[in-house]
Amino acid sequence: MSDQEDLGADVYRQEASELVQSIEAGLMALETDPDDRDRINAVFRDLHTVKGSGAMFGFHELAMFVHEFETAFDRLRQGKVAITTALIELSLQACDQILCLLDDPKAGAAASVDILHRLQRCLDGSDKGEDGEHTPAGNAAEGCRVTFRLSEDALMRGHDPEGFLDELRELGPTKVRALVDRIPPIDQLDPTACLIGWDVEIEGAVTSSDIEAVFLFTRDDMTLEIAPLSDTPSAAKADDNQGLDAVATSPAPGVGKATGNTMRVATDRLDDMMDRVGELVIAEARLQALAQCSGDATLMAVAEDIQRLAAGLRDSTMSIRMVPMSSILGRFQRLIRDLSATLGKQMRFRTRGEDTELDKTVIELLADPLVHILRNCADHGLETSEARLAAGKPTVGTIELSAEYAGAEVVITIRDDGRGLDAGKIRARAIEAGLMAQDADLSESDLYRMIFEPGFSTMSTVTELSGRGVGMDVVKRTIASLRGQIDLESEPGHGTTVRLRLPLTLAIIDGLLIEVGGELYTIPLAAVEECVELPESHVSEHSNSSFLNIRGGLVPFLRLRALFDVTVQPTEYQKVVIISSTGARVGLVVDNIIGNNQTVIKQLSPLHAGLKSFSGATILGDGTVALILDVAQLVATGRMIEDRARRENAA
């Protein structure tokens, strides 16, 4: 296989995987709303696309399997059979088989045959009339004539005329005649244009919907005429009493033109482009600094133009990398459905904030942690229907996944209404595993966080789903690698909430440049609420108060000079930058506020990765390095100050 063919096959695998996710989502939606005709047609279109493209890229075994699957599903589309749970289950198994054939086209032939046989038996069991015979489709004619012409760019768009003819041949005995009246002289011939039409006579009982199904994806940009075989080709408009509706469609003006087209780009190319944009932003900042130093008006004007263009290029490149949460949420619907069957628990899965976008790199690495958390919710969190009834809860448990923006972060919340975490059981297992001392005095929050330790599990036996203590450790390590934070809350008897706080992007952000003790630092601008003057009563570092009164509300503050162990004398008028994260606020006392800047995030080296107050570094216009403050960590420190003050006041 050539490199081009390999690339085409890889692209097809990716597209087919996404289509299978769409099919699965459609099937599960039909399970709750079986009369949704639009959803049925959407599933059929996805199947048709998987089949057609598969044959084109050499996945013949897959194409044959999907063709039989599509043929069976067509009976449902035509209303010949009813949607049942058993039918949906078999259809989902067929989707799994499609993914297997994508990975290894030669494997699983026996499984394909078995699934198709069971699918056929399921359809036959619900496709019988009162006399026990199959009910034939109504409105069928004994033979028809089909005349069609594809758009001129059909070949360039991947449509295969021979494939359409093969599908028509499957409807019955056919006679095919090519229509060549539009082919120009050879010196004017465009070899990429589809200029031939076809006239096809089909014998047997065929309905107009059978014909339209063949051209389901090309109807908007082709000409199609259908008439009973007894009529002439011009008599396309047949009477309904003759049993076959005549159809004649012509492309609408402008159809077939490129409108909102998309193309696939390799991720490494996007990463390389983002790196180059980052370097451009740094170079632009250096140019801006040089222009200001020179005082040359012409140079300053050019620098401003480059700054504007670099900012536009940065925003465009960033938007290309942003992907909605909906791109990974579809697979979780299937996960919860399968877990419900495996565990014998009734559960529903709800989502909110599907349009919330994250950097592609972040969202790709997020899928596995979310799977582990959802499995834990289903296995450890939700009770059986009997236990829920005894506790006065609905028999059906609920798992909810939501996503929302919070300053410079996206907060992803996974919540269940199950039994909650058992602090006593966690403590006992942690002591048994040597993770804490017998007399250790841990807060409830710290105790809950034990579930993220490697090898920790409250399950006494290993099952297919849990017991090895690996899942939540994977969650912790992956979220840490993304510069994210995990919050865990639980109320016994009422459920558990896991919050993942993740940066919007790992590439470029807007930052607020500050100075502390002569050193420059950057704060993500999206996390900054306001800047105020440090009150004179709080200037002394020996002040008893650690709170500011901001319009009637108390906000804890941190002196960055003390946090960074600065010995240089402070400036006369110190400032306070109020930052927020997940609803909590904290003030940062700084010497000076320099201004806004575009911040190209550079990862810290492994040697410095453990520094808790910093999430990365950036290069400034003069070539110096400024550390980026970790907002979530600083807000957490502020919360500790607030909690300590509350405990002291209570005492």
Side-chain angles (χ1 to χ4, degrees):
M1 185 179 285
S2 67
D3 291 343
Q4 270 193 324
E5 289 173 329
D6 283 340
L7 180 60
D10 289 341
V11 170
Y12 170 70
R13 285 190 182 94
Q14 186 175 355
E15 291 180 343
S17 297
E18 293 173 1
L19 286 168
V20 169
Q21 287 187 29
S22 175
I23 293 168
E24 289 182 347
L27 290 170
M28 287 183 287
L30 287 172
E31 195 169 18
T32 56
D33 185 9
D35 297 324
D36 189 342
R37 303 304 304 176
D38 290 339
R39 183 78 67 173
I40 291 173
N41 289 329
V43 170
F44 192 81
R45 284 194 297 271
D46 288 342
L47 282 171
H48 200 79
T49 301
V50 172
K51 180 187 75 172
S53 300
M56 185 186 308
F57 287 104
F59 290 81
H60 300 296
E61 293 81 1
L62 184 147
M64 291 171 62
F65 174 76
V66 177
H67 172 70
E68 296 299 330
F69 182 16
E70 177 191 44
T71 301
F73 195 84
D74 189 42
R75 292 165 63 182
L76 185 150
R77 188 175 70 94
Q78 295 181 25
K80 297 179 182 180
V81 295
I83 294 176
T84 63
T85 300
L87 181 59
I88 295 296
E89 179 62 36
L90 283 169
S91 297
L92 289 172
Q93 290 180 27
C95 289
D96 293 338
Q97 183 62 13
I98 292 173
L99 295 177
C100 289
L101 292 170
L102 274 176
D103 291 336
D104 186 355
K106 302 296 182 183
S112 297
V113 172
D114 178 61
I115 290 171
L116 292 173
H117 281 173
R118 285 188 289 137
L119 188 61
Q120 191 63 50
R121 287 197 299 271
C122 182
L123 290 167
D124 290 343
S126 56
D127 188 24
K128 294 184 179 180
E130 294 181 1
D131 57 355
E133 296 297 327
H134 294 310
T135 305
N139 205 31
E142 289 299 325
C144 68
R145 180 186 299 277
V146 180
T147 304
F148 70 94
R149 289 182 181 275
L150 302 176
S151 62
E152 289 193 9
D153 63 346
L155 300 178
M156 298 296 293
R157 296 168 64 186
H159 296 306
D160 180 12
E162 185 62 30
F164 294 128
L165 293 173
D166 287 342
E167 292 191 48
L168 291 175
R169 291 186 182 103
E170 292 173 2
L171 300 177
T174 59
K175 294 180 181 179
V176 180
R177 181 170 63 90
L179 306 176
V180 295
D181 53 302
R182 296 186 183 178
I183 297 180
I186 193 167
D187 58 335
Q188 302 174 21
L189 182 64
D190 180 357
T192 65
C194 183
L195 302 174
I196 301 176
W198 287 270
D199 184 78
V200 185
E201 294 181 5
I202 306 175
E203 299 177 7
V206 185
T207 66
S208 58
S209 61
D210 292 333
I211 306 299
E212 291 170 9
V214 173
F215 301 100
L216 194 62
F217 301 97
T218 55
R219 284 292 305 275
D220 291 337
D221 55 359
M222 69 173 293
T223 300
L224 174 65
E225 296 179 358
I226 308 173
L229 196 55
S230 56
D231 289 357
T232 61
S234 60
K237 295 184 178 180
D239 191 346
D240 284 349
N241 293 330
Q242 292 177 293
L244 187 67
D245 297 333
V247 180
T249 57
S250 298
V255 171
K257 303 297 182 184
T259 55
N261 289 342
T262 60
M263 66 179 295
R264 293 185 178 273
V265 179
T267 303
D268 55 352
R269 293 189 180 184
L270 282 179
D271 292 340
D272 182 59
M273 183 179 179
M274 194 73 249
D275 289 341
R276 292 177 185 275
V277 170
E279 296 303 321
L280 176 62
V281 168
I282 293 172
E284 174 270 320
R286 294 180 62 188
L287 176 62
Q288 193 76 21
L290 289 172
Q292 290 177 352
C293 290
S294 70
D296 188 318
T298 303
L299 182 58
M300 291 180 68
V302 172
E304 288 175 0
D305 286 341
I306 292 178
Q307 182 183 37
R308 174 177 53 81
L309 293 171
L313 181 60
R314 179 203 66 172
D315 293 341
S316 297
T317 307
M318 292 282 290
S319 66
I320 292 172
R321 291 174 58 95
M322 301 304 279
V323 179
M325 282 292 296
S326 58
S327 64
I328 60 172
L329 289 182
R331 72 187 70 173
F332 301 142
Q333 292 281 1
R334 173 74 186 280
L335 173 68
I336 297 300
R337 185 185 186 279
D338 291 346
L339 287 173
S340 177
T342 302
L343 298 169
K345 299 178 181 179
Q346 296 185 55
M347 59 186 78
R348 68 169 63 91
F349 182 54
R350 293 175 176 168
T351 59
R352 291 190 297 109
E354 295 91 342
D355 295 333
T356 306
E357 292 185 330
L358 272 167
D359 187 283
K360 181 177 176 63
T361 303
V362 176
I363 214 161
E364 285 177 346
L365 294 174
L366 192 58
D368 282 347
L370 289 179
V371 166
H372 288 298
I373 294 173
L374 291 171
R375 285 164 67 103
N376 260 36
C377 289
D379 193 13
H380 297 277
L382 297 183
E383 313 95 328
T384 61
S385 298
E386 294 77 11
R388 291 181 66 85
L389 272 177
K393 296 181 179 180
T395 55
V396 180
T398 299
I399 299 175
E400 182 181 88
L401 190 155
S402 62
E404 60 183 344
Y405 295 112
E409 302 170 324
V410 166
V411 179
I412 298 172
T413 305
I414 305 95
R415 181 183 293 109
D416 69 67
D417 63 349
R419 59 174 65 91
L421 295 175
D422 187 335
K425 193 172 184 179
I426 292 173
R427 181 182 183 86
R429 294 290 290 183
I431 293 172
E432 181 184 336
L435 297 174
M436 62 179 289
Q438 184 79 36
D439 57 349
D441 183 20
L442 295 183
S443 67
E444 195 172 69
S445 175
D446 290 337
L447 197 58
Y448 288 157
R449 297 187 72 84
M450 283 290 177
I451 68 172
F452 295 105
E453 292 300 317
F456 183 88
S457 176
T458 57
M459 298 289 286
S460 56
T461 58
V462 176
T463 68
E464 180 184 350
L465 294 177
S466 58
R468 298 190 184 277
V470 176
M472 300 308 283
D473 174 40
V474 170
V475 173
K476 178 184 177 182
R477 286 188 286 107
T478 303
I479 299 304
S481 71
L482 293 172
R483 302 201 321 273
Q485 299 287 330
I486 305 175
D487 291 334
L488 187 62
E489 300 172 6
S490 186
E491 185 178 353
H494 292 84
T496 302
T497 300
V498 180
R499 288 190 181 87
L500 309 179
R501 302 196 311 271
L502 297 159
L504 277 172
T505 179
L506 302 177
I508 303 175
I509 60 171
D510 286 321
L512 180 68
L513 198 62
I514 61 168
E515 180 187 355
V516 178
E519 297 290 338
L520 297 179
Y521 302 90
T522 294
I523 305 173
L525 190 61
V528 176
E529 287 195 354
E530 59 183 310
C531 300
V532 297
E533 193 94 18
L534 180 66
E536 189 174 345
S537 59
H538 293 73
V539 169
S540 172
E541 295 188 7
H542 302 291
S543 171
N544 292 327
S545 176
S546 297
F547 292 86
L548 294 176
N549 187 333
I550 305 294
R551 289 181 294 282
L554 291 180
V555 178
F557 68 88
L558 303 173
R559 298 179 188 272
L560 293 186
R561 295 177 54 82
L563 192 64
F564 300 156
D565 198 21
V566 174
T567 57
V568 179
Q569 285 297 315
T571 56
E572 184 177 357
Y573 300 105
Q574 297 182 73
K575 312 295 188 297
V576 182
V577 180
I578 308 297
I579 61 174
S580 65
S581 174
T582 61
R585 297 192 299 169
V586 68
L588 304 178
V589 180
V590 305
D591 290 345
N592 290 303
I593 296 173
I594 309 301
N596 298 353
N597 73 324
Q598 292 187 54
T599 302
V600 180
I601 300 173
K602 301 291 185 181
Q603 297 297 317
L604 295 175
S605 70
L607 183 64
H608 302 91
L611 297 176
K612 289 187 175 181
S613 299
F614 308 108
S615 60
T618 187
I619 301 174
L620 303 177
D622 60 0
T624 59
V625 174
L627 293 172
I628 302 169
L629 299 185
D630 188 331
V631 170
Q633 185 65 40
L634 293 172
V635 169
T637 304
R639 279 179 171 174
M640 290 172 58
I641 294 173
E642 194 171 5
D643 291 342
R644 185 169 62 246
R646 190 180 294 113
R647 288 196 298 270
E648 290 173 355
N649 291 334

